[in-house]
Amino acid sequence: MPDYKLGPLWGTEVNASDLKDNYKGTKVTPYTVTPGGIDNLALHSKDVFTIPGKGEFSVDFKGYFRVARGHPTTNDWTTFEIFVNILDLKLFGKHKDLGEISVSLNPDLRSAGQIFPASAANQGAKCRIATAVHFDMPRAGLSVFNKEPILLMNEHVKSIPPVDDPNGHALLFMLPLFDRTKPSGKAVAYLTSLRYGADNYITEAEAKSYQRRN
Amino acid sequence: MPDYKLGPLWGTEVNASDLKDNYKGTKVTPYTVTPGGIDNLALHSKDVFTIPGKGEFSVDFKGYFRVARGHPTTNDWTTFEIFVNILDLKLFGKHKDLGEISVSLNPDLRSAGQIFPASAANQGAKCRIATAVHFDMPRAGLSVFNKEPILLMNEHVKSIPPVDDPNGHALLFMLPLFDRTKPSGKAVAYLTSLRYGADNYITEAEAKSYQRRN
């Protein structure tokens, strides 16, 4: 699978070297194009897993993500182009049968996306992020990852970034999850549904605390 | 992007060495699990492309695909597990502004999928295939490929393979297409909609003819 033919998977790189971290207190203005930055936002999700032979499991997660959001090509809400890369992601959940579950970014793929402009001044923008993660479920003896993107999307983005917006979902169908120790084997679980919401900015201390957690 | 950490992208390998090619005349029985084989089927699709600065283009394609369908784990319509790999795919279309367009399988990614069993004896099975292709549009000066799968799916599969079934669609949202000569650059086009139908078996001569076409 020669890398030079495909380029990095997935998406487009955001140069984060000249972007500053945004934390709690950052003002967000609706229907307005925002200069580039690195957003540290609280995040929650409800994921449904199907594990063959075991059943279906719905799990609520809470955590954060740190997203490099490139400079917009224009300041016009109907024509801008903005690329994003997820730099870090940590989510924690618990299920009565599966035990504690943690989600972290997969460093071997690029979690990348784009915000698309709205069709009119007071309409919503649209967002897609192809996301690659590890799901660790130590009590269930599973540490799994996705080879195809978990496509986080939101077709009604009212601000950049979309803070306090519970309307995200992943566009997926029986997304196969592979055992990290047997990546060439067949899927050992499936992600069958994911809904998420980006919450508001967190403090720098909260972000650093998430970054230290495993 | 070390391959050993991720395993081959995407999906699960089907060992096609003991599978025979199926051509026109092959009998298909509804709601029945079929022994493994390699299906040579006519295929059609309607794809919609968005090309920034140029507009939106809807294109009708016709062609074939050759799909290795592994042996089922059971003969029971409600419990089987079947994996598939697309071995070849050729589609041809024409658009008044874009000119002639051809679609072919991308050999640098594995187009892989799975058929999931039905929930009851006379219910439909479900199918997903993560597909990687090249779109060649010589008159438009574009030769592009997808880094994220074009997820062909059908949630109401009445037979294996699903012949004469026009109900397939791709689960996607603004799927970025990259220039084959600049795979690390940003997307130059987007696939915004795809509907497809698997038609019936074609003859061996028709399959060979497609295989020779560029």
Side-chain angles (χ1 to χ4, degrees), chain A residues 1 5-6 8 10 81 108 114 116 128 130 145 147-149 171-174 184 186 190, chain B residues 1 5-6 8-10 81 108 114 116 128 145 147-149 171-174 184 186 190:
Chain A
M1 210 153 296
K5 286 190 183 172
L6 295 170
W10 299 294
E81 183 177 75
D108 299 314
Q114 190 168 351
F116 297 97
R128 75 185 318 280
F145 71 103
K147 295 185 181 189
E148 300 172 33
L171 194 69
L172 52 80
F173 175 65
M174 291 295 279
S184 300
K186 68 182 190 181
Y190 298 88
Chain B
M1 211 152 298
K5 285 191 185 171
L6 295 168
L9 303 181
W10 298 296
E81 182 177 73
D108 299 314
Q114 190 167 352
F116 298 97
R128 73 182 324 276
F145 72 103
K147 295 185 180 188
E148 300 171 32
L171 192 70
L172 52 81
F173 175 66
M174 292 294 279
S184 300
K186 68 182 189 181
Y190 297 88

mmCIF file of all heavy atoms in Angstrom, chain A residues 1 5-6 8 10 81 108 114 116 128 130 145 147-149 171-174 184 186 190, chain B residues 1 5-6 8-10 81 108 114 116 128 145 147-149 171-174 184 186 190:
data_model
loop_
_atom_site.group_PDB
_atom_site.id
_atom_site.type_symbol
_atom_site.label_atom_id
_atom_site.label_comp_id
_atom_site.label_asym_id
_atom_site.label_seq_id
_atom_site.Cartn_x
_atom_site.Cartn_y
_atom_site.Cartn_z
ATOM 1 N N MET A 1 0.845 -1.197 0.000
ATOM 2 C CA MET A 1 0.000 0.000 0.000
ATOM 3 C C MET A 1 0.886 1.255 0.000
ATOM 4 O O MET A 1 1.097 1.877 1.035
ATOM 5 C CB MET A 1 -0.882 -0.026 1.240
ATOM 6 C CG MET A 1 -2.197 0.651 1.041
ATOM 7 S SD MET A 1 -3.404 -0.077 2.142
ATOM 8 C CE MET A 1 -3.456 -1.756 1.506
ATOM 9 N N LYS A 5 1.313 7.027 -3.394
ATOM 10 C CA LYS A 5 0.232 7.057 -4.374
ATOM 11 C C LYS A 5 -1.049 7.646 -3.792
ATOM 12 O O LYS A 5 -1.866 8.190 -4.508
ATOM 13 C CB LYS A 5 -0.080 5.642 -4.864
ATOM 14 C CG LYS A 5 0.967 5.085 -5.801
ATOM 15 C CD LYS A 5 0.471 3.809 -6.407
ATOM 16 C CE LYS A 5 1.522 3.181 -7.313
ATOM 17 N NZ LYS A 5 1.106 1.848 -7.747
ATOM 18 N N LEU A 6 -1.236 7.472 -2.502
ATOM 19 C CA LEU A 6 -2.489 7.880 -1.878
ATOM 20 C C LEU A 6 -2.379 9.209 -1.145
ATOM 21 O O LEU A 6 -3.386 9.873 -0.911
ATOM 22 C CB LEU A 6 -2.940 6.821 -0.866
ATOM 23 C CG LEU A 6 -3.298 5.447 -1.430
ATOM 24 C CD1 LEU A 6 -3.475 4.448 -0.300
ATOM 25 C CD2 LEU A 6 -4.579 5.532 -2.256
ATOM 26 N N PRO A 8 -1.382 11.159 2.509
ATOM 27 C CA PRO A 8 -1.824 10.796 3.855
ATOM 28 C C PRO A 8 -3.341 10.592 3.913
ATOM 29 O O PRO A 8 -4.095 11.352 3.308
ATOM 30 C CB PRO A 8 -1.422 12.006 4.702
ATOM 31 C CG PRO A 8 -0.372 12.709 3.895
ATOM 32 C CD PRO A 8 -0.713 12.463 2.465
ATOM 33 N N TRP A 10 -6.481 10.706 6.503
ATOM 34 C CA TRP A 10 -7.387 11.163 5.461
ATOM 35 C C TRP A 10 -7.250 12.677 5.309
ATOM 36 O O TRP A 10 -6.640 13.349 6.126
ATOM 37 C CB TRP A 10 -8.823 10.812 5.860
ATOM 38 C CG TRP A 10 -9.070 9.356 6.026
ATOM 39 C CD1 TRP A 10 -9.037 8.405 5.041
ATOM 40 C CD2 TRP A 10 -9.391 8.642 7.219
ATOM 41 N NE1 TRP A 10 -9.336 7.155 5.566
ATOM 42 C CE2 TRP A 10 -9.553 7.269 6.889
ATOM 43 C CE3 TRP A 10 -9.567 9.013 8.549
ATOM 44 C CZ2 TRP A 10 -9.867 6.282 7.821
ATOM 45 C CZ3 TRP A 10 -9.878 8.014 9.474
ATOM 46 C CH2 TRP A 10 -10.033 6.676 9.105
ATOM 47 N N GLU A 81 -13.711 28.732 2.968
ATOM 48 C CA GLU A 81 -13.256 27.336 3.002
ATOM 49 C C GLU A 81 -12.378 27.206 4.241
ATOM 50 O O GLU A 81 -11.461 27.996 4.435
ATOM 51 C CB GLU A 81 -12.446 27.055 1.727
ATOM 52 C CG GLU A 81 -11.958 25.641 1.562
ATOM 53 C CD GLU A 81 -11.235 25.463 0.211
ATOM 54 O OE1 GLU A 81 -10.088 25.938 0.078
ATOM 55 O OE2 GLU A 81 -11.815 24.829 -0.688
ATOM 56 N N ASP A 108 -2.084 6.968 13.871
ATOM 57 C CA ASP A 108 -1.632 6.394 12.600
ATOM 58 C C ASP A 108 -2.513 6.771 11.411
ATOM 59 O O ASP A 108 -2.251 6.338 10.285
ATOM 60 C CB ASP A 108 -1.544 4.868 12.728
ATOM 61 C CG ASP A 108 -0.554 4.473 13.808
ATOM 62 O OD1 ASP A 108 0.546 5.058 13.816
ATOM 63 O OD2 ASP A 108 -0.890 3.631 14.652
ATOM 64 N N GLN A 114 -13.510 19.382 7.288
ATOM 65 C CA GLN A 114 -13.712 20.631 6.575
ATOM 66 C C GLN A 114 -15.037 21.250 7.017
ATOM 67 O O GLN A 114 -15.991 20.538 7.331
ATOM 68 C CB GLN A 114 -13.750 20.315 5.075
ATOM 69 C CG GLN A 114 -13.725 21.511 4.173
ATOM 70 C CD GLN A 114 -13.467 21.148 2.717
ATOM 71 O OE1 GLN A 114 -13.150 20.000 2.410
ATOM 72 N NE2 GLN A 114 -13.607 22.111 1.830
ATOM 73 N N PHE A 116 -17.927 23.653 5.496
ATOM 74 C CA PHE A 116 -18.409 24.170 4.217
ATOM 75 C C PHE A 116 -19.299 25.386 4.471
ATOM 76 O O PHE A 116 -20.058 25.415 5.443
ATOM 77 C CB PHE A 116 -19.215 23.107 3.477
ATOM 78 C CG PHE A 116 -18.412 21.891 3.117
ATOM 79 C CD1 PHE A 116 -18.451 20.764 3.913
ATOM 80 C CD2 PHE A 116 -17.604 21.881 1.992
ATOM 81 C CE1 PHE A 116 -17.706 19.638 3.600
ATOM 82 C CE2 PHE A 116 -16.855 20.762 1.667
ATOM 83 C CZ PHE A 116 -16.903 19.634 2.467
ATOM 84 N N ARG A 128 -17.802 18.340 8.300
ATOM 85 C CA ARG A 128 -17.493 16.906 8.268
ATOM 86 C C ARG A 128 -16.104 16.707 8.827
ATOM 87 O O ARG A 128 -15.195 17.478 8.522
ATOM 88 C CB ARG A 128 -17.570 16.340 6.842
ATOM 89 C CG ARG A 128 -16.386 16.736 6.001
ATOM 90 C CD ARG A 128 -16.369 16.344 4.530
ATOM 91 N NE ARG A 128 -16.806 15.037 4.151
ATOM 92 C CZ ARG A 128 -16.088 13.922 4.236
ATOM 93 N NH1 ARG A 128 -14.855 13.965 4.713
ATOM 94 N NH2 ARG A 128 -16.583 12.782 3.829
ATOM 95 N N ALA A 130 -13.548 13.311 9.291
ATOM 96 C CA ALA A 130 -13.264 11.873 9.217
ATOM 97 C C ALA A 130 -12.340 11.536 10.384
ATOM 98 O O ALA A 130 -11.216 12.032 10.447
ATOM 99 C CB ALA A 130 -12.595 11.540 7.890
ATOM 100 N N PHE A 145 -9.962 -0.501 16.798
ATOM 101 C CA PHE A 145 -9.812 0.747 16.042
ATOM 102 C C PHE A 145 -10.598 0.646 14.748
ATOM 103 O O PHE A 145 -10.949 -0.442 14.292
ATOM 104 C CB PHE A 145 -8.335 1.041 15.771
ATOM 105 C CG PHE A 145 -7.702 0.125 14.758
ATOM 106 C CD1 PHE A 145 -7.476 0.565 13.454
ATOM 107 C CD2 PHE A 145 -7.338 -1.176 15.090
ATOM 108 C CE1 PHE A 145 -6.901 -0.278 12.503
ATOM 109 C CE2 PHE A 145 -6.761 -2.019 14.150
ATOM 110 C CZ PHE A 145 -6.540 -1.575 12.865
ATOM 111 N N LYS A 147 -10.807 1.333 10.618
ATOM 112 C CA LYS A 147 -10.009 1.533 9.401
ATOM 113 C C LYS A 147 -10.705 2.486 8.436
ATOM 114 O O LYS A 147 -10.064 3.103 7.593
ATOM 115 C CB LYS A 147 -9.793 0.195 8.682
ATOM 116 C CG LYS A 147 -8.963 -0.805 9.453
ATOM 117 C CD LYS A 147 -8.703 -2.048 8.596
ATOM 118 C CE LYS A 147 -7.883 -3.060 9.373
ATOM 119 N NZ LYS A 147 -7.423 -4.183 8.518
ATOM 120 N N GLU A 148 -12.034 2.509 8.501
ATOM 121 C CA GLU A 148 -12.817 3.465 7.724
ATOM 122 C C GLU A 148 -13.197 4.593 8.674
ATOM 123 O O GLU A 148 -13.410 4.365 9.859
ATOM 124 C CB GLU A 148 -14.102 2.812 7.198
ATOM 125 C CG GLU A 148 -13.864 1.616 6.307
ATOM 126 C CD GLU A 148 -15.171 0.892 5.985
ATOM 127 O OE1 GLU A 148 -16.224 1.542 5.882
ATOM 128 O OE2 GLU A 148 -15.133 -0.352 5.862
ATOM 129 N N PRO A 149 -13.308 5.829 8.152
ATOM 130 C CA PRO A 149 -13.560 6.943 9.053
ATOM 131 C C PRO A 149 -14.894 6.867 9.790
ATOM 132 O O PRO A 149 -15.896 6.429 9.237
ATOM 133 C CB PRO A 149 -13.532 8.165 8.134
ATOM 134 C CG PRO A 149 -13.584 7.664 6.748
ATOM 135 C CD PRO A 149 -13.127 6.251 6.753
ATOM 136 N N LEU A 171 -22.073 9.675 10.270
ATOM 137 C CA LEU A 171 -22.672 9.000 9.118
ATOM 138 C C LEU A 171 -21.938 7.670 8.968
ATOM 139 O O LEU A 171 -20.785 7.630 8.523
ATOM 140 C CB LEU A 171 -22.481 9.864 7.863
ATOM 141 C CG LEU A 171 -23.314 9.477 6.650
ATOM 142 C CD1 LEU A 171 -24.781 9.770 6.897
ATOM 143 C CD2 LEU A 171 -22.836 10.217 5.410
ATOM 144 N N LEU A 172 -22.597 6.595 9.355
ATOM 145 C CA LEU A 172 -21.928 5.295 9.284
ATOM 146 C C LEU A 172 -22.965 4.187 9.198
ATOM 147 O O LEU A 172 -24.143 4.389 9.522
ATOM 148 C CB LEU A 172 -21.011 5.085 10.497
ATOM 149 C CG LEU A 172 -21.581 5.289 11.906
ATOM 150 C CD1 LEU A 172 -22.368 4.086 12.381
ATOM 151 C CD2 LEU A 172 -20.451 5.571 12.873
ATOM 152 N N PHE A 173 -22.533 3.022 8.761
ATOM 153 C CA PHE A 173 -23.395 1.841 8.719
ATOM 154 C C PHE A 173 -22.551 0.622 9.049
ATOM 155 O O PHE A 173 -21.634 0.283 8.303
ATOM 156 C CB PHE A 173 -24.026 1.678 7.334
ATOM 157 C CG PHE A 173 -24.829 0.416 7.187
ATOM 158 C CD1 PHE A 173 -25.978 0.222 7.941
ATOM 159 C CD2 PHE A 173 -24.432 -0.592 6.330
ATOM 160 C CE1 PHE A 173 -26.711 -0.960 7.833
ATOM 161 C CE2 PHE A 173 -25.167 -1.765 6.204
ATOM 162 C CZ PHE A 173 -26.310 -1.944 6.959
ATOM 163 N N MET A 174 -22.809 0.018 10.205
ATOM 164 C CA MET A 174 -22.090 -1.180 10.632
ATOM 165 C C MET A 174 -20.583 -1.012 10.397
ATOM 166 O O MET A 174 -19.931 -1.798 9.712
ATOM 167 C CB MET A 174 -22.610 -2.410 9.877
ATOM 168 C CG MET A 174 -24.029 -2.812 10.254
ATOM 169 S SD MET A 174 -24.216 -3.371 11.975
ATOM 170 C CE MET A 174 -23.657 -5.085 11.860
ATOM 171 N N SER A 184 -5.005 -7.336 10.813
ATOM 172 C CA SER A 184 -5.356 -7.943 9.517
ATOM 173 C C SER A 184 -6.495 -8.943 9.643
ATOM 174 O O SER A 184 -6.935 -9.512 8.643
ATOM 175 C CB SER A 184 -4.139 -8.629 8.907
ATOM 176 O OG SER A 184 -3.111 -7.690 8.695
ATOM 177 N N LYS A 186 -10.456 -10.270 10.940
ATOM 178 C CA LYS A 186 -11.776 -9.707 10.646
ATOM 179 C C LYS A 186 -12.268 -8.854 11.819
ATOM 180 O O LYS A 186 -11.706 -8.907 12.915
ATOM 181 C CB LYS A 186 -12.764 -10.807 10.272
ATOM 182 C CG LYS A 186 -13.141 -11.744 11.376
ATOM 183 C CD LYS A 186 -14.105 -12.815 10.838
ATOM 184 C CE LYS A 186 -14.681 -13.616 11.994
ATOM 185 N NZ LYS A 186 -15.588 -14.680 11.552
ATOM 186 N N TYR A 190 -18.597 -3.788 15.895
ATOM 187 C CA TYR A 190 -19.081 -2.798 14.934
ATOM 188 C C TYR A 190 -19.598 -1.587 15.699
ATOM 189 O O TYR A 190 -20.229 -1.739 16.751
ATOM 190 C CB TYR A 190 -20.223 -3.384 14.086
ATOM 191 C CG TYR A 190 -19.777 -4.568 13.256
ATOM 192 C CD1 TYR A 190 -19.818 -5.858 13.776
ATOM 193 C CD2 TYR A 190 -19.273 -4.393 11.975
ATOM 194 C CE1 TYR A 190 -19.372 -6.945 13.041
ATOM 195 C CE2 TYR A 190 -18.832 -5.465 11.230
ATOM 196 C CZ TYR A 190 -18.886 -6.743 11.764
ATOM 197 O OH TYR A 190 -18.431 -7.813 11.034
ATOM 198 N N MET B 1 2.973 6.474 8.105
ATOM 199 C CA MET B 1 1.748 5.708 8.284
ATOM 200 C C MET B 1 2.066 4.220 8.217
ATOM 201 O O MET B 1 1.888 3.581 7.182
ATOM 202 C CB MET B 1 0.762 6.093 7.187
ATOM 203 C CG MET B 1 -0.661 6.009 7.624
ATOM 204 S SD MET B 1 -1.673 7.147 6.704
ATOM 205 C CE MET B 1 -0.921 8.713 7.199
ATOM 206 N N LYS B 5 0.599 -1.332 11.721
ATOM 207 C CA LYS B 5 -0.261 -0.959 12.841
ATOM 208 C C LYS B 5 -1.741 -0.989 12.457
ATOM 209 O O LYS B 5 -2.596 -1.181 13.291
ATOM 210 C CB LYS B 5 0.075 0.453 13.313
ATOM 211 C CG LYS B 5 1.369 0.522 14.105
ATOM 212 C CD LYS B 5 1.473 1.876 14.749
ATOM 213 C CE LYS B 5 2.813 2.042 15.465
ATOM 214 N NZ LYS B 5 2.987 3.442 15.906
ATOM 215 N N LEU B 6 -1.995 -0.712 11.192
ATOM 216 C CA LEU B 6 -3.380 -0.576 10.756
ATOM 217 C C LEU B 6 -3.898 -1.823 10.053
ATOM 218 O O LEU B 6 -5.102 -2.030 9.960
ATOM 219 C CB LEU B 6 -3.514 0.604 9.781
ATOM 220 C CG LEU B 6 -3.234 1.994 10.353
ATOM 221 C CD1 LEU B 6 -3.125 3.011 9.239
ATOM 222 C CD2 LEU B 6 -4.324 2.397 11.328
ATOM 223 N N PRO B 8 -4.208 -3.924 6.349
ATOM 224 C CA PRO B 8 -4.634 -3.383 5.055
ATOM 225 C C PRO B 8 -5.941 -2.593 5.169
ATOM 226 O O PRO B 8 -6.850 -2.995 5.882
ATOM 227 C CB PRO B 8 -4.848 -4.636 4.204
ATOM 228 C CG PRO B 8 -4.081 -5.716 4.884
ATOM 229 C CD PRO B 8 -4.113 -5.397 6.341
ATOM 230 N N LEU B 9 -5.993 -1.488 4.473
ATOM 231 C CA LEU B 9 -7.223 -0.696 4.396
ATOM 232 C C LEU B 9 -7.875 -1.034 3.064
ATOM 233 O O LEU B 9 -7.218 -0.961 2.039
ATOM 234 C CB LEU B 9 -6.900 0.796 4.467
ATOM 235 C CG LEU B 9 -6.118 1.257 5.721
ATOM 236 C CD1 LEU B 9 -5.880 2.753 5.680
ATOM 237 C CD2 LEU B 9 -6.817 0.872 7.000
ATOM 238 N N TRP B 10 -9.175 -1.398 3.012
ATOM 239 C CA TRP B 10 -10.049 -1.498 4.165
ATOM 240 C C TRP B 10 -10.490 -2.959 4.323
ATOM 241 O O TRP B 10 -10.285 -3.796 3.450
ATOM 242 C CB TRP B 10 -11.289 -0.636 3.921
ATOM 243 C CG TRP B 10 -10.947 0.818 3.760
ATOM 244 C CD1 TRP B 10 -10.387 1.644 4.699
ATOM 245 C CD2 TRP B 10 -11.124 1.646 2.606
ATOM 246 N NE1 TRP B 10 -10.229 2.930 4.196
ATOM 247 C CE2 TRP B 10 -10.661 2.952 2.921
ATOM 248 C CE3 TRP B 10 -11.620 1.391 1.331
ATOM 249 C CZ2 TRP B 10 -10.697 4.010 2.004
ATOM 250 C CZ3 TRP B 10 -11.644 2.443 0.432
ATOM 251 C CH2 TRP B 10 -11.184 3.740 0.779
ATOM 252 N N GLU B 81 -22.382 -15.240 7.885
ATOM 253 C CA GLU B 81 -21.426 -14.132 7.757
ATOM 254 C C GLU B 81 -20.727 -14.322 6.417
ATOM 255 O O GLU B 81 -20.220 -15.414 6.141
ATOM 256 C CB GLU B 81 -20.432 -14.224 8.917
ATOM 257 C CG GLU B 81 -19.408 -13.133 8.984
ATOM 258 C CD GLU B 81 -18.505 -13.284 10.230
ATOM 259 O OE1 GLU B 81 -17.649 -14.191 10.234
ATOM 260 O OE2 GLU B 81 -18.663 -12.499 11.166
ATOM 261 N N ASP B 108 -4.629 0.520 -4.948
ATOM 262 C CA ASP B 108 -3.837 0.837 -3.758
ATOM 263 C C ASP B 108 -4.635 0.795 -2.465
ATOM 264 O O ASP B 108 -4.093 1.063 -1.397
ATOM 265 C CB ASP B 108 -3.176 2.210 -3.929
ATOM 266 C CG ASP B 108 -2.251 2.219 -5.130
ATOM 267 O OD1 ASP B 108 -1.473 1.258 -5.263
ATOM 268 O OD2 ASP B 108 -2.332 3.157 -5.950
ATOM 269 N N GLN B 114 -19.087 -6.639 3.315
ATOM 270 C CA GLN B 114 -19.680 -7.725 4.091
ATOM 271 C C GLN B 114 -21.175 -7.755 3.839
ATOM 272 O O GLN B 114 -21.804 -6.713 3.617
ATOM 273 C CB GLN B 114 -19.394 -7.439 5.571
ATOM 274 C CG GLN B 114 -19.731 -8.564 6.502
ATOM 275 C CD GLN B 114 -19.144 -8.366 7.897
ATOM 276 O OE1 GLN B 114 -18.359 -7.443 8.122
ATOM 277 N NE2 GLN B 114 -19.547 -9.228 8.824
ATOM 278 N N PHE B 116 -24.551 -8.870 5.783
ATOM 279 C CA PHE B 116 -25.035 -9.191 7.122
ATOM 280 C C PHE B 116 -26.351 -9.947 7.017
ATOM 281 O O PHE B 116 -27.179 -9.645 6.141
ATOM 282 C CB PHE B 116 -25.253 -7.920 7.931
ATOM 283 C CG PHE B 116 -24.006 -7.127 8.150
ATOM 284 C CD1 PHE B 116 -23.698 -6.055 7.326
ATOM 285 C CD2 PHE B 116 -23.121 -7.460 9.163
ATOM 286 C CE1 PHE B 116 -22.540 -5.315 7.524
ATOM 287 C CE2 PHE B 116 -21.960 -6.730 9.364
ATOM 288 C CZ PHE B 116 -21.666 -5.661 8.541
ATOM 289 N N ARG B 128 -22.731 -3.969 2.854
ATOM 290 C CA ARG B 128 -21.875 -2.761 2.800
ATOM 291 C C ARG B 128 -20.596 -3.105 2.052
ATOM 292 O O ARG B 128 -20.023 -4.174 2.262
ATOM 293 C CB ARG B 128 -21.539 -2.250 4.211
ATOM 294 C CG ARG B 128 -20.552 -3.135 4.906
ATOM 295 C CD ARG B 128 -20.157 -2.785 6.347
ATOM 296 N NE ARG B 128 -20.037 -1.427 6.735
ATOM 297 C CZ ARG B 128 -18.933 -0.676 6.539
ATOM 298 N NH1 ARG B 128 -17.864 -1.177 5.917
ATOM 299 N NH2 ARG B 128 -18.906 0.558 6.975
ATOM 300 N N PHE B 145 -9.269 10.527 -7.057
ATOM 301 C CA PHE B 145 -9.528 9.300 -6.294
ATOM 302 C C PHE B 145 -10.041 9.675 -4.916
ATOM 303 O O PHE B 145 -9.871 10.802 -4.447
ATOM 304 C CB PHE B 145 -8.257 8.444 -6.201
ATOM 305 C CG PHE B 145 -7.197 9.006 -5.298
ATOM 306 C CD1 PHE B 145 -6.991 8.487 -4.027
ATOM 307 C CD2 PHE B 145 -6.409 10.079 -5.702
ATOM 308 C CE1 PHE B 145 -6.013 9.012 -3.176
ATOM 309 C CE2 PHE B 145 -5.427 10.606 -4.865
ATOM 310 C CZ PHE B 145 -5.230 10.073 -3.605
ATOM 311 N N LYS B 147 -9.987 9.006 -0.779
ATOM 312 C CA LYS B 147 -9.189 8.479 0.337
ATOM 313 C C LYS B 147 -10.075 7.856 1.400
ATOM 314 O O LYS B 147 -9.624 7.024 2.176
ATOM 315 C CB LYS B 147 -8.377 9.608 0.985
ATOM 316 C CG LYS B 147 -7.324 10.228 0.085
ATOM 317 C CD LYS B 147 -6.496 11.242 0.877
ATOM 318 C CE LYS B 147 -5.434 11.854 -0.030
ATOM 319 N NZ LYS B 147 -4.490 12.695 0.743
ATOM 320 N N GLU B 148 -11.301 8.356 1.496
ATOM 321 C CA GLU B 148 -12.297 7.763 2.399
ATOM 322 C C GLU B 148 -13.201 6.897 1.545
ATOM 323 O O GLU B 148 -13.441 7.206 0.375
ATOM 324 C CB GLU B 148 -13.145 8.853 3.070
ATOM 325 C CG GLU B 148 -12.346 9.833 3.894
ATOM 326 C CD GLU B 148 -13.216 11.007 4.350
ATOM 327 O OE1 GLU B 148 -14.414 10.835 4.587
ATOM 328 O OE2 GLU B 148 -12.667 12.120 4.454
ATOM 329 N N PRO B 149 -13.710 5.789 2.089
ATOM 330 C CA PRO B 149 -14.488 4.874 1.257
ATOM 331 C C PRO B 149 -15.775 5.488 0.693
ATOM 332 O O PRO B 149 -16.436 6.275 1.361
ATOM 333 C CB PRO B 149 -14.832 3.724 2.204
ATOM 334 C CG PRO B 149 -14.516 4.179 3.573
ATOM 335 C CD PRO B 149 -13.535 5.298 3.471
ATOM 336 N N LEU B 171 -23.474 5.738 1.201
ATOM 337 C CA LEU B 171 -23.616 6.560 2.399
ATOM 338 C C LEU B 171 -22.415 7.496 2.426
ATOM 339 O O LEU B 171 -21.290 7.057 2.710
ATOM 340 C CB LEU B 171 -23.633 5.655 3.637
ATOM 341 C CG LEU B 171 -24.063 6.310 4.942
ATOM 342 C CD1 LEU B 171 -25.548 6.636 4.909
ATOM 343 C CD2 LEU B 171 -23.754 5.398 6.117
ATOM 344 N N LEU B 172 -22.629 8.755 2.075
ATOM 345 C CA LEU B 172 -21.507 9.693 2.029
ATOM 346 C C LEU B 172 -22.018 11.112 2.220
ATOM 347 O O LEU B 172 -23.208 11.396 2.049
ATOM 348 C CB LEU B 172 -20.739 9.560 0.716
ATOM 349 C CG LEU B 172 -21.521 9.618 -0.609
ATOM 350 C CD1 LEU B 172 -21.839 11.038 -1.026
ATOM 351 C CD2 LEU B 172 -20.697 8.960 -1.711
ATOM 352 N N PHE B 173 -21.105 12.001 2.580
ATOM 353 C CA PHE B 173 -21.425 13.423 2.698
ATOM 354 C C PHE B 173 -20.220 14.225 2.233
ATOM 355 O O PHE B 173 -19.165 14.153 2.840
ATOM 356 C CB PHE B 173 -21.766 13.785 4.147
ATOM 357 C CG PHE B 173 -21.983 15.254 4.361
ATOM 358 C CD1 PHE B 173 -23.061 15.902 3.761
ATOM 359 C CD2 PHE B 173 -21.103 16.004 5.135
ATOM 360 C CE1 PHE B 173 -23.254 17.261 3.944
ATOM 361 C CE2 PHE B 173 -21.293 17.360 5.319
ATOM 362 C CZ PHE B 173 -22.370 17.992 4.721
ATOM 363 N N MET B 174 -20.365 14.900 1.104
ATOM 364 C CA MET B 174 -19.297 15.730 0.560
ATOM 365 C C MET B 174 -17.956 14.980 0.600
ATOM 366 O O MET B 174 -16.969 15.445 1.164
ATOM 367 C CB MET B 174 -19.185 17.047 1.341
ATOM 368 C CG MET B 174 -20.383 17.977 1.149
ATOM 369 S SD MET B 174 -20.537 18.606 -0.553
ATOM 370 C CE MET B 174 -19.348 19.963 -0.547
ATOM 371 N N SER B 184 -1.319 14.715 -1.902
ATOM 372 C CA SER B 184 -1.246 15.378 -0.593
ATOM 373 C C SER B 184 -1.913 16.747 -0.601
ATOM 374 O O SER B 184 -1.961 17.411 0.437
ATOM 375 C CB SER B 184 0.217 15.530 -0.151
ATOM 376 O OG SER B 184 0.811 14.252 -0.045
ATOM 377 N N LYS B 186 -5.164 19.555 -1.449
ATOM 378 C CA LYS B 186 -6.540 19.542 -0.964
ATOM 379 C C LYS B 186 -7.476 18.977 -2.044
ATOM 380 O O LYS B 186 -7.078 18.832 -3.204
ATOM 381 C CB LYS B 186 -6.964 20.933 -0.497
ATOM 382 C CG LYS B 186 -7.096 21.975 -1.572
ATOM 383 C CD LYS B 186 -7.485 23.327 -0.944
ATOM 384 C CE LYS B 186 -7.840 24.309 -2.042
ATOM 385 N NZ LYS B 186 -8.197 25.639 -1.522
ATOM 386 N N TYR B 190 -15.740 16.919 -5.171
ATOM 387 C CA TYR B 190 -16.447 16.168 -4.127
ATOM 388 C C TYR B 190 -17.486 15.277 -4.784
ATOM 389 O O TYR B 190 -18.134 15.687 -5.756
ATOM 390 C CB TYR B 190 -17.149 17.135 -3.149
ATOM 391 C CG TYR B 190 -16.186 18.022 -2.415
ATOM 392 C CD1 TYR B 190 -15.776 19.244 -2.965
ATOM 393 C CD2 TYR B 190 -15.641 17.631 -1.197
ATOM 394 C CE1 TYR B 190 -14.858 20.054 -2.310
ATOM 395 C CE2 TYR B 190 -14.718 18.433 -0.537
ATOM 396 C CZ TYR B 190 -14.336 19.646 -1.094
ATOM 397 O OH TYR B 190 -13.417 20.439 -0.452
#
